């Protein structure tokens, strides 16, 4: 570690989450700069204390949410004549739809009608990019849970009771349920993708050691607290207002207008907040909005559609399950020499977002490690199940987990500590093995020529370049240079602060003495690329309005789902205008205010919308600065906005007073802002380029215990050191890290999706599908922040935090496999999730 790394290796350790108080004005920001030094001048500390960003503060809606004082879609007062919808869906996985008998349902009091594919005024196929998913199934049903029609009634319970009385005449057809069966049949929703660098086959042949394996990882239900819901109101002149619990209001607008056969401008979509999303409301929310809109169009009445939990499970897509086959070559130190990797993504019956999900799995198959000779084949398999969709990490976890598994198995093969194998394979500025071989060959040829040997070559052909000029281990397999790598100092710092080496020895001693309870431990990193891989989505817009009383409203294209986006954006705007945080209000996402907004996804919500809002606020500030500069006869650059004041070399005025004076002088007090992510470029045909603006990094140490008699497991201790850049709100960022880790822990331990051989999802309620509960949280759960700003020019020097921590939970799965190995089992055969049954199977019981 060099001196610069040593200076940055002291993590920022906030107060424990359980006792973290609400900050008050006057608190200094511990992350105001890259340095971890606490020394500051008085004036510097005072300026920092008055900033809104960089301070731990409550979520802007937290108090109201706890008191039940906030509005979700189902809380919006229903206008007179509102009808309630319930879905009618297929009970079989694949079949020919021959008829719908709704006579019994329509005879119930309060039932107002049924809506199916014949009632769609526009395109009967959803406006998804692959154009392969019908609004309502018409001729064929393709999974158990596919919606065929809606039943409309005066209230929700009547609609649901009536929907169960509808009889579907379906002729069963053969169904493909297994991803392996789909692959064998060449059943794909999209063409396969192959990414290669070097010669993996040759590298495997010359490798001193090789391992080969198969592995499967399951999907995951989003289990958002607020289920899927849409409320559609007909307006005048064939215009529509849609309230949707969605991460992508712009896409809902597009889908609804497409299905109704009208222009986008006739549909307005609004979302103030969601009760959780996790990717499950990126495309899936659009289905409900379209269904409700078609029903509202037919009956010319407002329609609300809210799925109950069981129906939500059965209808909506999940995280993509993956299956893998790999061959890896390595040397005596554990250094990877070559890798052949096959990924089978279970996409369900339609493409949805499976293409970019599977692409990101390819991009993250390296995780933190340099792959010199690699061949990756990705197959996007079509099965007769729900169409799988976005989920936190968006394919990244499915890429990261396989390389972490491989490195753990290499370490066990060589009897080397897994951390040392991981450190050995990290991206670095060292020359590649191929470059060194070429260097040695050229140098040998030159020496032979000088001795008069048989080798003859032109001087330029044998000139040996300096080692530092050779190809380095810092370029990904998709040709993006890793320029901001902090993993080696971050991982070694975490190993030291968590006492990793000492605890490994203690665990060995425990396992030697304990015959039933065995412990395991793992330290795994994450390197996660931040940006949409579809470059066009890396843009955002915002509006900032300053009212004559000095209060500020900001509207942006992002959506709030509990992650604190509006809190961060308000802080950014407050600092740009130099006003207190409480003076800024974030309003609902609304397609009539900011058009064509990208989904709030890819962990880029603050990066995009925060920067756009900052630019909008800056325009207003510049207008005010020019106005005040004219009053005081100074340059606009000499005007400062701080602590609710506008300060020039001649005078200090209250911000509110300046705003009133500016209005009286007809100065514009509102503006828009637009931002597009710089530097990124990506060729989808070659899978090469720079798809990400930067990487977020982190690492976690997890200790677990397993019961060798029952297979039950428990997470005992977790230590995390994570890179969020210069945090805009440390409390919110730590909450995201904790929540992401626990959600990832659930994916890899207890959350198991089970379809029977007929293609029906059996785990469709909390009684059969187990997310982590409070009792699963480890007693020791320490989260620290890496104290360095983003090296790229990102808003406030921050980094994204939504998705990267999810993959830190892979340390839980690798710790379970470590415990199985120390118990004498076969961890190489263990699939995810590591349920009690799976652990017991790996133990050979």
């Amino acid at each position: 570690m060099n001196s610069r790394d040593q200076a940055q290796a002291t993590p920022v350790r906030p107060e424990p989450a359980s006792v973290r108080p609400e900050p008050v004005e006057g608190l200094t920001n511990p992350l105001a700069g890259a340095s971890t030094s606490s020394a500051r001048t008085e004036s510097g500390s005072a300026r920092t204390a008055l900033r809104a960003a960089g301070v731990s503060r409550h979520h802007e809606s937290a108090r109201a949410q706890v008191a039940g004082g906030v509005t979700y879609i189902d809380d919006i007062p229903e206008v007179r004549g509102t009808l309630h919808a319930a879905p009618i869906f297929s009970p079989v996985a694949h079949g020919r739809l021959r008829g719908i008998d709704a006579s019994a349902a329509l005879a119930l009091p309060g039932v107002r009608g049924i809506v199916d594919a014949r009632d769609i005024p526009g395109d009967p196929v959803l406006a998804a990019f692959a154009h392969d998913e019908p609004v309502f199934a018409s001729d064929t049903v393709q999974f158990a849970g596919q919606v065929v029609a809606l039943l409309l009634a005066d209230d929700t319970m009547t609609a649901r009771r009536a929907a169960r009385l509808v009889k579907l005449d379906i002729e069963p057809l053969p169904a493909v349920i297994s991803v392996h069966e789909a692959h064998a049949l060449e059943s794909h929703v999209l063409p396969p993708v192959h990414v290669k660098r070097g010669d993996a086959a040759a590298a495997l042949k010359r490798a001193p050691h090789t391992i080969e394996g198969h592995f499967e990882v399951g999907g995951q239900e989003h289990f958002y607290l607020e289920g899927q819901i849409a409320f559609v109101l007909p307006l005048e002149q064939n215009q529509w207002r849609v309230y949707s619990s969605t991460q992508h209001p712009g896409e809902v607008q597009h889908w609804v207008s497409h299905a109704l056969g009208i222009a986008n401008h006739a549909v307005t979509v609004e979302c103030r907040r969601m009760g959780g999303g996790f990717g499950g409301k990126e495309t899936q929310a659009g289905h409900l909005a379209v269904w409700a809109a078609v029903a509202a169009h037919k009956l010319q009445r407002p329609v609300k559609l809210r799925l109950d939990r069981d129906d939500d499970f059965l209808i909506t897509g999940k995280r993509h399950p993956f299956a893998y086959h790999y061959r890896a070559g390595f040397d005596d130190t554990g250094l990877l020499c070559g890798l052949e990797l096959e990924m089978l993504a279970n996409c369900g019956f339609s493409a949805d977002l499976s293409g970019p999900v599977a692409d990101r799995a390819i991009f993250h198959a390296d995780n933190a490690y340099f792959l010199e000779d690699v061949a990756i084949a990705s197959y996007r398999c079509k099965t007769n199940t729900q169409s799988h969709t976005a989920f936190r990490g968006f394919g990244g976890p499915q890429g990261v987990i396989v390389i972490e598994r491989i490195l753990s198995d290499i370490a066990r093969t060589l009897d080397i500590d897994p951390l040392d194998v991981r450190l050995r394979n990290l991206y670095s500025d060292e020359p590649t093995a191929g470059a060194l071989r070429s260097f040695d060959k050229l140098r040998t040829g030159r020496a032979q020529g000088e001795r008069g040997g048989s080798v003859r070559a032109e001087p330029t052909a044998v000139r040996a370049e300096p080692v530092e000029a050779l190809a380095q281990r810092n370029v990904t397999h998709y040709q993006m240079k890793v320029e901001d790598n902090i993993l080696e100092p971050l991982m070694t710092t975490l190993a030291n602060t968590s006492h990793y080496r000492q605890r490994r020895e203690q665990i060995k001693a425990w396992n030697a003495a304990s015959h039933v309870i065995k412990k395991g431990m793992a330290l795994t990193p994450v390197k996660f690329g931040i940006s949409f891989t579809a470059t066009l989505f890396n843009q955002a817009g915002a509006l900032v309005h300053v009212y004559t009383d000095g209060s500020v409203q900001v509207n942006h294209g992002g959506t709030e789902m509990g992650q604190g986006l509006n809190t961060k954006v308000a802080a950014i705007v407050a600092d740009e205008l130099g006003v207190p945080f409480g003076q800024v209000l974030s309003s609902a996402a609304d397609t009539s205010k900011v058009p064509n907004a990208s989904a709030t996804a890819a962990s880029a919500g603050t990066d995009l919308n925060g920067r756009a809002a900052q630019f909008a606020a800056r325009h207003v500030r510049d207008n005010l600065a020019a106005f005040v500069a004219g009053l005081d006869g100074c340059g606009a650059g000499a005007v400062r906005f701080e602590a609710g004041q506008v300060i020039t070399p001649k005078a200090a005025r209250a911000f509110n007073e300046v705003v009133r004076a500016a209005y009286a002088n007809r100065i514009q007090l509102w503006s828009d802002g637009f931002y597009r992510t710089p530097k990124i470029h990506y060729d989808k045909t070659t899978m090469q380029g720079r798809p990400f603006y930067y990487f977020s990094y982190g690492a976690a140490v997890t200790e677990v215990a397993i019961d060798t008699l029952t297979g039950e497991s428990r997470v005992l201790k977790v230590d995390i050191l994570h890179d969020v850049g210069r945090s805009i709100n440390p409390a919110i960022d730590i909450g995201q890290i904790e929540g992401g880790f626990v959600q990832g822990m659930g994916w890899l331990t207890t959350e198991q999706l089970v379809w029977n051989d007929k293609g029906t999802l059996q785990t469709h309620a909390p009684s059969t599908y187990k997310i982590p509960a409070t009792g699963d949280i480890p007693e020791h759960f320490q989260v620290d922040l890496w104290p360095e700003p983003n090296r790229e020019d990102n808003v406030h020097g921050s980094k994204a935090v939504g998705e990267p921590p999810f993959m830190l939970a892979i340390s839980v799965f690798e710790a379970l496999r470590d415990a199985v190995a120390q118990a004498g089992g076969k961890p190489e055969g263990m699939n995810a999730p590591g349920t009690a049954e799976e652990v017991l199977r790996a133990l050979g019981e």
Side-chain angles (χ1 to χ4, degrees):
M1 188 185 301
N2 60 38
S3 58
R4 181 172 179 274
D5 292 330
Q6 289 174 335
Q8 295 174 341
T10 303
V12 174
R13 177 158 292 181
E15 297 178 58
S18 59
V19 298
R20 226 175 279 133
E22 171 73 356
V24 296
E25 295 298 330
L27 264 184
T28 58
N29 172 18
L31 298 179
S35 172
T36 60
S37 171
S38 60
R40 285 194 182 91
T41 64
E42 257 188 18
S43 59
S45 293
R47 283 196 298 270
T48 299
L50 295 170
R51 295 183 67 85
V55 177
S56 288
R57 62 176 73 250
H58 289 159
H59 186 287
E60 48 93 20
S61 298
R63 287 191 174 91
Q65 286 173 308
V66 171
V70 300
T71 301
Y72 293 91
I73 303 296
D74 206 29
D75 300 318
I76 296 172
E78 295 164 7
V79 301
R80 183 184 304 169
T82 294
L83 296 178
H84 297 264
I88 301 162
F89 50 81
S90 170
V92 302
H94 192 204
R96 188 170 291 111
L97 180 61
R98 297 185 295 202
I100 303 173
D101 181 2
S103 56
L106 294 173
L108 280 182
V111 173
R112 302 302 174 191
I114 186 171
V115 175
D116 61 24
R118 295 167 294 185
D119 300 307
I120 302 169
D123 192 339
V125 180
L126 290 170
F129 82 96
H131 205 246
D132 64 346
E133 186 172 352
V135 174
F136 293 114
S138 53
D139 300 323
T140 305
V141 294
Q142 298 190 68
F143 74 95
Q146 185 172 11
V147 174
V148 173
L150 291 186
L151 207 290
L152 284 303
D154 291 336
D155 63 84
T156 301
M157 296 314 296
T158 299
R160 291 175 180 174
R161 282 194 296 270
R164 288 194 286 268
L165 297 177
V166 176
K167 296 179 181 178
L168 301 178
D169 181 8
I170 300 175
E171 176 190 348
L173 295 173
V176 177
I177 308 304
S178 160
V179 68
H180 297 288
E181 182 184 2
H183 184 51
L185 294 171
E186 297 186 355
S187 173
H188 301 135
V189 297
L190 294 166
V193 172
H194 298 269
V195 174
K196 297 180 180 180
R197 177 166 64 180
D199 189 338
L204 286 166
K205 285 182 181 178
R206 64 174 177 262
H209 311 277
T210 59
I211 57 172
E212 183 172 2
H214 298 267
F215 172 48
E216 294 189 16
V217 61
Q220 188 177 23
E221 165 63 30
H222 299 87
F223 220 111
Y224 20 66
L225 289 179
E226 177 202 32
Q228 298 279 1
I229 184 170
F231 185 23
V232 178
L233 286 75
L235 305 177
E236 62 173 84
Q237 301 180 68
N238 202 23
Q239 296 174 44
W240 303 82
R241 175 164 287 277
V242 179
Y243 295 99
S244 175
S245 182
T246 176
Q247 295 174 236
H248 199 175
E251 184 168 75
V252 171
Q253 178 192 41
H254 176 53
W255 282 23
V256 169
S257 63
H258 191 76
L260 296 183
I262 58 179
N264 284 358
H265 68 208
V267 178
T268 299
V269 180
E270 180 179 322
C271 178
R272 172 59 182 90
R273 62 175 56 82
M274 290 164 275
F278 309 119
K281 296 178 180 177
E282 187 171 344
T283 60
Q284 304 294 290
H287 298 72
L288 275 80
V290 169
W291 297 333
V294 171
H297 179 272
K298 177 180 179 179
L299 299 174
Q300 286 300 300
R301 290 173 65 176
V303 171
K304 180 188 283 187
L305 173 56
R306 184 186 77 240
L307 299 183
D308 72 11
R309 185 65 65 180
D310 287 85
D311 290 353
D312 203 322
F313 263 86
L314 292 169
I315 292 170
T316 62
K318 324 297 177 193
R319 182 185 297 280
H320 290 68
F322 266 59
Y324 313 87
H325 174 240
Y326 56 85
R327 290 182 64 225
F330 51 98
D331 67 16
D332 292 339
T333 69
L335 182 69
L336 279 166
C337 302
L339 175 65
E340 290 180 343
L341 174 61
E342 179 183 78
M343 297 178 166
L344 308 182
N346 185 339
C347 302
F349 85 98
S350 70
D352 194 79
L353 295 171
S354 296
V357 166
D359 287 350
R360 190 173 273 264
I362 293 173
F363 289 142
H364 288 80
D366 61 338
N367 191 21
Y369 314 110
F370 178 71
L371 305 178
E372 184 167 0
D373 293 283
V374 59
I376 301 174
S378 172
Y379 298 92
R380 294 93 198 270
C381 300
K382 179 175 181 177
T383 59
N384 292 114
T385 62
Q386 292 81 356
S387 186
H388 298 307
T389 189
F391 201 129
R392 195 176 200 165
F394 202 78
Q398 293 96 316
V400 172
I401 193 170
V402 66
I403 192 66
E404 293 299 334
R405 178 188 185 91
I406 289 169
L407 292 185
S408 292
D409 287 348
I410 288 173
R412 275 186 284 273
T413 300
L414 298 173
D415 195 22
I416 298 175
D417 190 291
L419 174 58
D420 294 325
V421 172
R422 288 180 166 87
L423 292 172
R424 181 73 179 90
N425 283 281
L426 288 177
Y427 280 100
S428 71
D429 294 333
E430 297 174 359
T432 66
L436 289 174
R437 283 196 300 272
S438 299
F439 176 80
D440 289 341
K441 184 176 179 180
L442 290 172
R443 186 169 55 183
T444 301
R446 178 177 174 180
Q448 290 177 341
E450 289 174 349
R451 292 195 300 267
S454 60
V455 176
R456 296 185 64 189
E458 296 297 322
T460 55
V462 299
R463 185 173 63 243
E465 298 293 335
V467 172
E468 58 269 20
L470 300 178
Q472 297 174 320
R473 295 171 50 85
N474 59 5
V475 178
T476 67
H477 53 296
Y478 47 92
Q479 300 305 309
M480 176 175 172
K481 187 174 182 180
V482 181
E483 298 174 317
D484 58 355
N485 188 3
I486 59 171
L487 272 172
E488 191 276 335
L490 186 149
M491 291 171 68
T492 53
T493 297
L494 178 61
N496 291 334
T497 58
S498 66
H499 307 292
Y500 172 86
R501 306 282 184 184
Q502 300 93 314
R503 286 167 60 192
R504 290 284 294 182
E505 294 303 315
Q506 292 167 3
I507 287 172
K508 287 181 182 179
W510 168 279
N511 289 337
S514 175
H515 299 295
V516 175
I517 305 299
K518 300 290 186 180
K519 293 183 179 181
M521 188 177 179
L523 189 159
T524 63
V526 63
K527 172 184 69 67
F528 192 78
I530 304 299
S531 291
F532 288 95
T533 53
T535 305
L536 76 163
F537 293 135
N538 294 287
Q539 58 176 298
L543 297 172
V544 168
H545 298 168
V546 178
Y547 296 95
T548 53
D549 63 351
S551 63
V552 182
Q553 184 184 87
V554 56
N555 184 272
H556 56 86
T559 53
E560 174 65 50
M561 62 194 89
Q563 84 279 37
L565 173 60
N566 283 346
T567 309
K568 288 186 173 183
V569 171
I572 291 164
V573 169
D575 278 352
E576 197 66 27
L577 296 175
V579 299
F581 175 81
Q583 205 161 320
V584 181
L585 175 69
S586 292
S587 58
D590 188 326
T591 57
S592 67
K593 293 184 178 180
V594 176
N596 312 317
S598 300
T600 304
S603 300
T606 302
D607 289 6
L608 295 173
N609 298 288
R611 187 64 109 184
Q614 183 183 48
F615 287 169
R618 188 169 296 170
H619 295 326
V620 176
R621 188 192 68 185
D622 290 346
N623 291 344
L624 293 173
F627 168 63
V628 173
L631 295 178
D632 287 0
C634 65
V639 181
R640 304 198 318 271
F641 291 74
E642 293 178 6
Q645 292 189 311
V646 181
I647 304 167
T648 73
K650 290 187 177 180
R653 302 173 177 87
F655 178 83
N656 301 357
E657 294 175 4
V658 171
V659 167
R660 283 193 292 270
Y663 173 76
N665 283 272
R666 297 178 296 175
I667 303 299
Q668 182 176 329
L669 296 175
W670 62 271
S671 188
D672 63 317
F674 179 79
Y675 174 70
R676 63 177 186 175
T677 308
K679 295 187 177 182
I680 53 175
H681 57 89
Y682 162 53
D683 185 338
K684 185 171 175 57
T685 58
T686 63
M687 294 284 286
Q688 292 185 358
R690 179 176 177 162
F692 308 121
Y693 185 31
Y694 62 87
F695 294 105
S696 285
Y697 300 95
V701 176
T702 297
E703 182 178 334
V704 303
I706 62 172
D707 186 325
T708 58
L709 300 180
T710 66
E712 293 173 289
S713 64
R714 177 172 292 278
V715 177
L716 302 176
K717 293 182 179 181
V718 174
D719 292 271
I720 293 173
L721 181 54
H722 197 71
D723 166 36
V724 299
R726 182 187 291 123
S727 177
I728 295 172
N729 188 319
I732 283 178
D733 286 346
I734 289 168
Q736 286 291 293
I737 294 166
E738 292 169 342
F741 182 91
V742 172
Q743 190 175 51
M745 182 176 77
W747 173 52
L748 295 172
T749 56
T750 61
E751 298 185 44
Q752 186 174 31
L753 294 166
V754 178
W755 286 266
N756 65 18
D757 57 0
K758 295 182 179 179
T760 301
L761 181 65
Q762 301 291 286
T763 50
H764 52 79
S767 58
T768 51
Y769 185 84
K770 298 296 185 181
I771 64 172
T774 54
D776 297 309
I777 308 302
E779 185 174 344
H780 176 94
F781 195 171
Q782 180 65 49
V783 177
D784 295 324
L785 303 180
W786 183 255
E788 181 184 355
N790 194 334
R791 297 182 190 178
E792 294 292 348
D793 181 22
N794 205 44
V795 61
H796 192 68
S798 67
K799 284 192 174 185
V801 72
E803 292 173 296
F806 183 94
M807 281 147 283
L808 297 178
I810 291 171
S811 63
V812 175
F813 187 66
E814 288 308 309
L816 287 174
R817 296 209 310 134
D818 182 56
V820 167
Q822 298 209 37
K826 297 180 179 179
E828 64 276 7
M830 189 171 163
N831 294 318
T835 60
E837 294 87 348
E838 186 65 19
V839 170
L840 206 58
R841 188 183 66 81
L843 288 169
E845 298 292 330

